[in-house]
Amino acid sequence: MKLDLEFVRAQFPAFSELSLRGQAFFENAGGSYTCRQVIDRLTRFYHERKVQPYASYEASRLGGEEMDEARRRLAALLGVETDEVSFGPSTTQNTYVLAQAFGQMLKPGDAIVVTNQDHEANTGPWRRLTDRGIEVRDWKIDPETGHLPIEGLKGLLDEKVKLVCFPHCSNIVAEINPVAEIAALAHAAGAYVCVDGVSYAPHGLPDVSKLGADIYLFSAYKTYGPHQGVMVTQRALGEALPNQAHYFNADVLYKRFTPAGPDHAQIAASAGMADYIDALCTHHKAGDLSAAQRGAFAHDLMRAHETALLQPLLDYIAAKNSVRLLGPRQAERRAPTVAMVLREPGAAVAEKLAPKGIMTGGGNFYGVRCLKAQGVDPAHGALRVSFVHYTTRDEVAKLIDALDEVL
Ligand SMILES: Cc1ncc(COP(=O)(O)O)c(C=O)c1O
């Protein structure tokens, strides 16, 4: 089944926005366009339901129901229980809160494993636990390829390790890590795993139960939704970790790691992400599938399209002597988030691409450790071009032409 791009693009108002016409969007890893289902729900919430939710008057009841619907439907697509899904202001905020909880649960002398492939969000807050006497062990990438070798993890695991934190795929290297294999290794050693799925989820929601992740995090605003962080916390772990919310909310799993009041409107609007995935399935005649199967169907549709567009771009970049491509050259091994190191600073090249109708970015993308580990000066930074399933072949061709002019 081929992705119907005309249908897909009709779901994103940005593509009919006059002010964006002629602009090819290649900064999706920073934040995707928002699908109309989410925008419609957000607008409706602010117009009709912007009251304290969960009371018995109609507007309030509907608002509360819509917030529950968002968690229920996203959980079903992710293959987890409804109360295992919670929202926070961002993924960085979510890992920060989780790190507080682990800091209270672990004892001095316990160890956690972190990587230098991660965005700072899934490494910095964990590293700070050294303040509490917790040992932090570094799982390091290969400096040439950016690859995170499983062998490296094996050498770090022992009975002291209680948690392994790593990305599903990095926002710079973009190689897809074998989450299920890593989780199995960590579990066998008695450790939990916390997976940063921010760079992966926009390319298709995973079945988190199959991945075996105890914690799986992603950002809705990079996944066609509103500016929220989505957090899956597997029940046994969520109940074992100390509650970070008001004490009287401790019994409600999805409230335990949300100390601040939730953003009602944005949570409700997140149900639009599920609407979009369902619309994609219905349009492509997926048939009568369970929610997790619909998630997988949409995932495979997106992935096939993205991979087909990505390979020519990778081939083009790999053939340029003046360019260092970060991460794998094979499209199947990575997400379509392509960072490259150039003679000029990444941001300077992004600036030259802007007048050519290419929206992209340059810099360190908060992957400072990841760049340094590959011998790249974060101040020089990388140019990063990133796309998702709504991107067309013509846009990729336009990008290649523009790169040809500036490199
Ligand atoms: C891989 C990855 N993890 C985490 C984050 C942080 O997400 P948030 O902005 O929701 O805190 C980002 C943001 O760019 C990211 O790319």
Side-chain angles (χ1 to χ4, degrees), residues 108-148:
D110 285 342
I112 61 177
V113 171
V114 294
T115 80
N116 58 2
Q117 200 190 48
D118 272 282
H119 181 283
E120 193 63 16
N122 194 36
T123 181
W126 303 116
R127 288 174 190 269
R128 287 189 198 159
L129 295 181
T130 49
D131 297 351
R132 297 180 185 236
I134 290 155
E135 187 195 344
V136 172
R137 298 183 183 176
D138 265 294
W139 180 13
K140 292 187 180 149
I141 56 174
D142 178 310
E144 292 297 316
T145 62
H147 176 71
L148 196 52

Side-chain angles (χ1 to χ4, degrees), residues 29-31 88-95 117-122 167-172 196-200 217-222 227-230 365-366 384:
S90 68
T91 294
T92 307
Q93 180 97 22
N94 284 341
T95 50
Q117 200 190 48
D118 272 282
H119 181 283
E120 193 63 16
N122 194 36
H168 196 160
C169 79
S170 132
N171 62 328
I172 288 180
D196 177 351
V198 173
S199 284
Y200 187 89
L217 305 140
F218 67 98
S219 301
Y221 73 96
K222 299 183 198 264
H227 206 115
Q228 287 285 287
V230 183
F365 305 101
Y366 285 17
R384 188 180 71 176

